[in-house]
Amino acid sequence: MALKFTLLFLPLLAHIVNSQQPTTFDIGKYGGKPNANIAEALSNAWKEACATTTPSTIVVPKETFLLNQLTLAGPCKAPIELQVQGTIRAPSDYTQLPDKNAEWITINYVDHLTISGGGIFDGQGKEAWTKNDCGKNPNCVKLPINLSFNFITNSIIHDVTTQDSKNFHVNVIGCKNVTFQQFTVSAPGESINTDGLHIAKSEGIYVLESVIKTGDDCISVGDGMKELHIEKVTCGPGHGISVGSLGKGATEEDVTGIYVKNCTFTGTQNGIRVKTWPSAPAKLKITGLHYEDIIMDNVQNPIIIDQEYCPWNQCNLDSPSLIKISEMTVKNIKGTSASPVAVSFVCSKTVPCENVEMGDIDLTYSGNQGPITTKCSNIKPTFVGKQNPPICANATQSS
């Protein structure tokens, strides 16, 4: 992983080293003042930096700034860095946003983008969470995502924090070769729909050495995802790392190459999860899921495939999911389950799960709801090493 990450950014590093030092664009020179809206100042600094033919750095100093809403767009003529040293705060009242259909901060069509600086993007979402009824109301108000990245390539976001988003913290769509490293997501466990990172229709995305605390999925994977590498991530509170939910859209694209390694889940609702909707039109395939060297600390559902995902009774369980899950490995998973069902594989009756391999599972349960057990339907995994508890007792065994 380290070698691949280094190789990925060698061209960018060489370009910077062999060029003159980046030109600095401090938002203070564009009228940006602490405790005031910096949308215009940051926009003007971006436009000038983006037009520069040598590397540039936009600096948000170590102060607290307000920002009502902003879209930053490329393509830029050279590598560009947004260095946030201070705190940028969104309006607590989402109705104050100029464009009710847009996200808080959106960045589009940029190659060789860096976001760094140790600062905080504060979505101030507490008020919005109390008004979020999207689980029950299909016509609910759209709440803004903190950071939306669209069609970003060969880029890195590191050493910054996204905090208390009103909706997802980060949305990644149509991106390629993008790394989140030493990235922090911070929101309370009771915050609604505050996924840490939602990543879809992208390729070659890395989430490394990061801490995610939130009220929903730490990382959620949407359709069209290829080659997602998640390593040394700490998740909790939250709902775990989820592929899906998938299946509701008829045109959803295949998901392949998801790697989760050396991660820790603490007090989460789920650990590693795949979820697809029944009675849904999509027929995509989910292949190449690899989970390895993972610690579960008091996790409600440590390992789960749920192809009957149907929150708030929004679907018909009589029509099984049409999504095929195959080529999945789960190896060296250790720790504690907060429920007696440590492993739950509920696969589709129509297209059962295939080629699932389990190796060296060691999970314990110390509660009073009965002995530790597993639940399996429409799956026959193969096994290597030891399994504690015994998984899918009637499944086939390999030597």
Side-chain angles (χ1 to χ4, degrees):
M1 174 66 71
L3 177 60
K4 192 168 186 178
F5 172 72
T6 303
L7 291 175
L8 179 65
F9 287 98
L10 276 176
L12 173 58
L13 294 172
H15 178 88
I16 294 174
V17 169
N18 294 328
S19 303
Q20 66 185 69
Q21 288 298 311
T23 304
T24 299
F25 298 81
D26 192 308
I27 64 165
K29 296 180 181 179
Y30 295 84
K33 297 180 180 179
N35 301 308
N37 181 21
I38 60 169
E40 183 176 0
L42 187 49
S43 179
N44 289 337
W46 176 272
K47 289 176 183 177
E48 190 169 333
C50 189
T52 301
T53 57
T54 56
S56 58
T57 300
I58 300 166
V59 177
V60 178
K62 292 183 179 180
E63 302 281 355
T64 297
F65 300 90
L66 309 181
L67 178 66
N68 57 5
Q69 199 169 37
L70 186 66
T71 296
L72 303 174
C76 297
K77 293 184 178 180
I80 187 168
E81 178 176 3
L82 175 59
Q83 188 178 103
V84 178
Q85 301 174 1
T87 296
I88 302 177
R89 284 184 176 161
S92 58
D93 183 357
Y94 61 87
T95 63
Q96 294 180 15
L97 298 181
D99 185 349
K100 304 299 187 296
N101 294 314
E103 313 307 345
W104 178 37
I105 298 174
T106 301
I107 304 179
N108 300 329
Y109 297 102
V110 181
D111 186 37
H112 288 163
L113 168 71
T114 298
I115 298 179
S116 66
I120 299 171
F121 296 91
D122 183 359
Q124 296 206 102
K126 187 175 182 179
E127 180 181 336
W129 302 331
T130 65
K131 300 176 181 178
N132 188 331
D133 62 349
C134 292
K136 302 176 182 178
N137 177 14
N139 299 313
C140 63
V141 175
K142 181 183 182 298
L143 297 172
I145 293 168
N146 260 13
L147 300 171
S148 179
F149 297 104
N150 305 289
F151 311 104
I152 306 299
T153 54
N154 305 313
S155 297
I156 180 167
I157 296 92
H158 68 95
D159 297 289
V160 290
T161 295
T162 170
Q163 174 177 298
D164 292 347
S165 181
K166 297 174 179 66
N167 198 339
F168 293 0
H169 279 84
V170 177
N171 199 38
V172 178
I173 301 293
C175 297
K176 188 172 183 178
N177 292 339
V178 175
T179 294
F180 294 83
Q181 188 167 25
Q182 295 179 354
F183 184 74
T184 300
V185 176
S186 179
E190 64 271 17
S191 58
I192 298 175
N193 209 38
T194 54
D195 293 46
L197 293 93
H198 178 72
I199 309 169
K201 299 185 185 300
S202 298
E203 183 176 357
I205 307 300
Y206 294 79
V207 185
L208 311 173
E209 301 171 340
S210 296
V211 176
I212 304 175
K213 300 178 179 181
T214 188
D216 211 295
D217 292 333
C218 289
I219 299 173
S220 58
V221 181
D223 77 297
M225 187 65 227
K226 300 176 182 178
E227 295 298 317
L228 170 61
H229 297 260
I230 302 167
E231 186 167 354
K232 295 182 179 178
V233 167
T234 299
C235 169
H239 293 181
I241 295 177
S242 297
V243 176
S245 61
L246 294 170
K248 275 198 139 180
T251 61
E252 289 182 9
E253 301 172 0
D254 293 351
V255 171
T256 183
I258 310 299
Y259 301 84
V260 180
K261 187 174 182 180
N262 287 326
C263 293
T264 299
F265 298 83
T266 302
T268 52
Q269 184 183 93
N270 307 288
I272 53 177
R273 175 168 64 157
V274 183
K275 49 182 176 175
T276 73
W277 289 83
S279 64
K283 296 182 180 180
L284 67 146
K285 297 177 181 178
I286 302 174
T287 61
L289 307 180
H290 303 286
Y291 305 92
E292 187 173 0
D293 300 335
I294 293 172
I295 295 173
M296 305 287 182
D297 182 3
N298 196 38
V299 174
Q300 190 72 22
N301 303 296
I303 304 170
I304 178 170
I305 295 177
D306 183 5
Q307 293 207 260
E308 295 180 353
Y309 179 73
C310 188
W312 306 291
N313 298 316
Q314 296 179 23
C315 55
N316 180 6
L317 293 177
D318 292 335
S319 300
S321 173
L322 302 177
I323 296 175
K324 181 76 171 182
I325 299 172
S326 63
E327 309 300 332
M328 176 176 177
T329 60
V330 184
K331 298 181 179 180
N332 195 29
I333 314 296
K334 302 181 185 301
T336 56
S337 174
S339 75
V341 183
V343 178
S344 177
F345 288 149
V346 179
C347 295
S348 170
K349 295 178 182 178
T350 301
V351 280
C353 298
E354 288 187 347
N355 297 326
V356 176
E357 180 182 292
M358 309 287 292
D360 294 315
I361 311 300
D362 188 6
L363 295 169
T364 61
Y365 169 66
S366 58
N368 57 8
Q369 299 177 36
I372 191 168
T373 185
T374 67
K375 178 181 180 181
C376 301
S377 59
N378 307 305
I379 182 174
K380 292 183 178 180
T382 57
F383 303 108
V384 294
K386 297 180 179 180
Q387 317 301 323
N388 179 38
I391 298 170
C392 305
N394 295 324
T396 60
Q397 297 269 354
S398 70
S399 58

